[in-house]
Amino acid sequence: MSRYELRFSGAGGQGLITAGIIMAKAASIYEGKQAVQSQSYGPEARGGASKSEVIISDGPIDYPKATTVDALLAMTQEACNKYTHDLKKGGILLVDSDLVKTLPEGNFKIVSFPIINTAKNDVGREIVANIVALGAMVALTGQVSRENAEKAVLSSVPEAFLELNRKAFSIGYDKALAASA
Amino acid sequence: MSKKVAFLQGNEAAAQGALYAGCNFFGGYPITPSTEVAEVMSIELPKIGGKFIQMEDEIGAMAVVLGASLAGAKALTSTSGPGLSLKQELIGYGCIAEIPCVVYNVMRGGPSTGMPTGPSQSDVMSAKWGTHGDHPAICLTPASVQETYEEVIRAFNLSEKYRTPVFVMPDEIVAHMRERVVFPEKGEIEVLERISPTVTPDAYKPYDTSCGDVPPLAAFGSGYKFHVTGLNKAQDGFPTTKAELVQAEEERQVRKVDANVDDIVHFEEYLLDDADVVVVAYGSTSRSARFAVNIAREQGIKAGLFRIKTFWPFPDKQIKALAGKVKGFIVPEMNLGMCSLEVERNAQGKAPVLGIFRVDGEPINPDQILAKIKEVK
């Protein structure tokens, strides 16, 4: 049974749980696969290490949490230190190159680009950094199509911010492809 | 026409299930990790003419739910461990006064405020022993978002059918994870309504058992007047200390559930036919267990899963039957051994019961269960 595990990690308030939800929604509602999204977080509303996990499969998903992670996003150094221990051999690690300076050693593919700065400078709003990161994860993992992921993004954000999020997703997708080439 | 689907959190699905079941009253006090139920109900109930009240605390929240139910509403409250402790006195009141309602309790670390954002399964004993005195107990422990939706509907049905409070107790993982939910059409899942009296108001007795163990319940405000008390009562609802009456009433209240276990106890058997080792699990832990059982089977170990859906009444009969056939039971749970006590009680020494207990806020993972399966010789 195909079982693909993703983890979105960073600091509370960066919108990574939302990014995980949209990825899972894309797989479950639009791609016709099965998906489970779960999360763990501390008592803080902001700050503190936070993670959101998504399991995608063609069949029923038993254990809803990650066992060995296929693809991991780390948006802070703390998250990178804390959550990369169970990254699979040959897996993918995406980091924000401005915030994660010390990379873990291991047999996996590391992709890095300045995610938050891309949101700030190329998209125009730092707040959509999570959608830039989501676009990048969609491009790197290939678990859902670009079109289905975009549909999931647009059905999950407020109407006034559709264009902003569409742009963030698209730029994240293209930057990740360029950074991993 | 294709069915409506949504990608929902367990708590959101619980609220939607309640609405499907006809819930038209919510009284609560917000608490992590159950608050999303209150959030959804506060948005949805006003749209259908229902009432949402955030009370001053959990005690008030339980009281208002009992009051609303007596006035004919289908009433829900949601909470978590510390709130459940506060509600217990009034849950007992609901049991003795026989007031239907649903208590949705998301299990987080405890005791006391414990670990608010961490998962746990340590409230299952509270569902039966949390309020004092002999009383009926029904507690459902769903394992997925879809099942949470459906079990909340079943909880409302059971509460109306047996005229008693019913618990739904997902662990925090089930309550907060998100999965696809397929919504049933109206009428696709049976929704039970309360048995109303057929006698005139002047002839009505709120605990009249002439038609069976579950007396019809009139709604306050519908012309029927009756007395409600937490004291042992006679058929007319007024307190009594008459020995034979009290004995008979206490026994009847417990019998409402005990005599109907086959109707109430739901479970799932997975690969049990030839199983040497049976994992008995509930909630999110049962998903780790199924994962482990599948790996064990791939390795040639005859493992199976007995998944508890109704925790109370406990599936005594089923575990007793298995005990004579298996080499051992494994009970993984996010507490220090609660379900395992019940399994031991039913195993009656015929098969060893090995527990895997975790209270560090992390889920029990499949590797832990697989390792324990291999310990059974």
Side-chain angles (χ1 to χ4, degrees):
Chain A
M1 184 82 65
S2 68
R3 180 183 165 102
Y4 196 91
E5 305 186 350
L6 300 97
R7 180 179 293 147
F8 296 76
S9 70
Q14 284 183 324
L16 298 166
I17 289 176
T18 304
I21 294 169
I22 297 173
M23 173 65 95
K25 192 172 166 184
S28 162
I29 302 291
Y30 297 103
E31 192 83 18
K33 293 184 176 182
Q34 303 219 17
V36 182
Q37 180 271 342
S38 69
Q39 59 216 344
S40 80
Y41 57 98
E44 311 92 340
R46 295 280 182 279
S50 142
K51 66 172 173 176
S52 170
E53 291 179 345
V54 177
I55 317 293
I56 298 173
S57 175
D58 292 329
I61 296 163
D62 298 326
Y63 190 53
K65 301 272 183 178
T67 53
T68 51
V69 179
D70 292 277
L72 190 145
L73 163 72
M75 292 281 278
T76 64
Q77 185 67 53
E78 187 192 358
C80 189
N81 299 344
K82 200 170 168 182
Y83 295 129
T84 51
H85 59 91
D86 51 2
L87 188 56
K88 194 178 270 183
K89 264 186 199 166
I92 298 162
L93 173 62
L94 170 67
V95 300
D96 187 311
S97 53
D98 290 331
L99 296 171
V100 181
K101 297 292 186 191
T102 311
L103 291 165
E105 293 197 5
N107 178 14
F108 35 75
K109 180 180 181 180
I110 296 176
V111 179
S112 78
F113 72 96
I115 297 170
I116 291 176
N117 264 315
T118 297
K120 203 189 291 184
N121 302 326
D122 299 6
V123 188
R125 292 281 300 276
E126 188 178 333
I127 196 166
V128 290
N130 63 334
I131 303 299
V132 173
L134 173 67
M137 289 292 272
V138 169
L140 296 172
T141 59
Q143 289 298 303
V144 296
S145 71
R146 183 174 189 159
E147 294 69 32
N148 284 334
E150 193 185 272
K151 276 185 209 164
V153 170
L154 299 180
S155 70
S156 305
V157 300
E159 207 164 320
F161 301 103
L162 287 179
E163 271 319 304
L164 183 71
N165 282 283
R166 194 199 305 271
K167 192 174 167 192
F169 176 80
S170 179
I171 289 176
Y173 192 99
D174 293 338
K175 285 235 174 189
L177 284 188
S180 69
Chain B
M1 200 180 91
S2 64
K3 285 191 175 170
K4 206 179 142 207
V5 298
F7 195 68
L8 288 187
Q9 196 180 56
N11 283 339
E12 293 166 341
Q16 294 298 335
L19 293 166
Y20 185 95
C23 173
N24 54 0
F25 185 91
F26 181 98
Y29 188 80
I31 181 169
T32 298
S34 76
T35 304
E36 294 84 3
V37 180
E39 286 175 358
V40 174
M41 295 309 269
S42 72
I43 295 165
E44 297 301 325
L45 279 175
K47 294 183 193 167
I48 57 164
K51 290 277 181 291
F52 171 93
I53 303 183
Q54 180 173 324
M55 295 296 286
E56 73 277 20
D57 63 17
E58 284 90 346
I59 303 172
M62 195 65 223
V64 78
V65 159
L66 296 181
S69 178
L70 283 172
K74 284 192 174 180
L76 170 72
T77 189
S78 66
T79 192
S80 184
L84 180 66
S85 292
L86 290 171
K87 288 178 195 290
Q88 288 291 2
E89 181 189 352
L90 282 154
I91 288 168
Y93 191 98
C95 290
I96 198 168
E98 300 178 68
I99 305 171
C101 61
V102 174
V103 178
Y104 179 85
N105 176 71
V106 182
M107 294 189 278
R108 71 188 222 187
S112 189
T113 31
M115 196 177 342
T117 58
S120 167
Q121 296 179 305
S122 56
D123 297 348
V124 285
M125 285 295 179
S126 283
K128 188 168 171 68
W129 308 113
T131 195
H132 64 276
D134 289 302
H135 56 86
I138 301 176
C139 177
L140 315 180
T141 47
S144 71
V145 175
Q146 182 80 39
E147 194 168 275
T148 301
Y149 178 90
E150 290 165 6
E151 289 294 82
V152 166
I153 299 170
R154 190 161 79 93
F156 272 97
N157 286 345
L158 291 170
S159 78
E160 297 295 346
K161 189 172 181 182
Y162 297 110
R163 205 180 146 176
T164 192
V166 172
F167 293 100
V168 182
M169 289 203 181
D171 52 75
E172 184 273 345
I173 294 173
V174 170
H176 271 167
M177 71 185 190
R178 290 175 175 83
E179 290 179 303
R180 194 166 77 128
V181 174
V182 181
F183 294 106
E185 306 283 350
K186 197 174 177 217
E188 192 177 332
I189 295 180
E190 188 182 27
V191 170
L192 297 180
E193 300 303 334
R194 193 168 298 180
I195 306 154
S196 296
T198 49
V199 298
T200 54
D202 56 322
Y204 178 65
K205 289 178 179 162
Y207 303 98
D208 177 3
T209 54
S210 57
C211 302
D213 279 343
V214 185
L217 179 57
F220 272 95
S222 65
Y224 289 79
K225 294 177 189 133
F226 56 99
H227 192 256
V228 181
T229 173
L231 292 163
N232 284 104
K233 76 280 179 190
Q235 293 205 340
D236 60 5
F238 285 96
T240 181
T241 53
K242 234 184 227 176
E244 69 277 14
L245 261 184
V246 173
Q247 177 83 20
E249 275 290 282
E250 282 270 328
E251 287 180 355
R252 175 183 63 77
Q253 283 168 38
V254 173
R255 190 171 62 231
K256 285 194 296 186
V257 166
D258 281 357
N260 292 291
V261 288
D262 290 340
D263 179 44
I264 304 167
V265 173
H266 285 197
F267 53 86
E268 183 193 352
E269 295 173 311
Y270 181 65
L271 304 177
L272 287 191
D273 287 346
D274 62 342
D276 291 330
V277 188
V278 173
V279 185
V280 180
Y282 54 103
S284 69
T285 309
S286 71
R287 300 173 65 130
S288 308
R290 191 188 306 262
F291 193 103
V293 162
N294 285 337
I295 297 172
R297 285 276 170 176
E298 282 169 18
Q299 297 178 4
I301 302 165
K302 286 180 180 169
L305 168 68
F306 184 90
R307 182 166 77 84
I308 294 171
K309 289 174 71 176
T310 306
F311 197 96
W312 301 115
F314 199 76
D316 291 341
K317 196 164 67 181
Q318 289 75 17
I319 301 295
K320 278 194 177 85
L322 283 169
K325 300 196 293 189
V326 303
K327 291 181 183 162
F329 290 106
I330 312 282
V331 186
E333 47 185 338
M334 291 184 281
N335 57 52
L336 292 178
M338 293 186 177
C339 181
S340 65
L341 291 174
E342 292 301 306
V343 176
E344 272 173 25
R345 182 172 62 76
N346 285 296
Q348 297 174 314
K350 289 178 190 161
V353 179
L354 309 181
I356 305 170
F357 307 138
R358 197 155 183 183
V359 290
D360 61 352
E362 293 295 326
I364 294 171
N365 60 56
D367 287 346
Q368 284 180 280
I369 300 173
L370 184 63
K372 197 60 97 176
I373 287 173
K374 290 178 178 174
E375 280 179 30
V376 178
K377 297 290 177 218

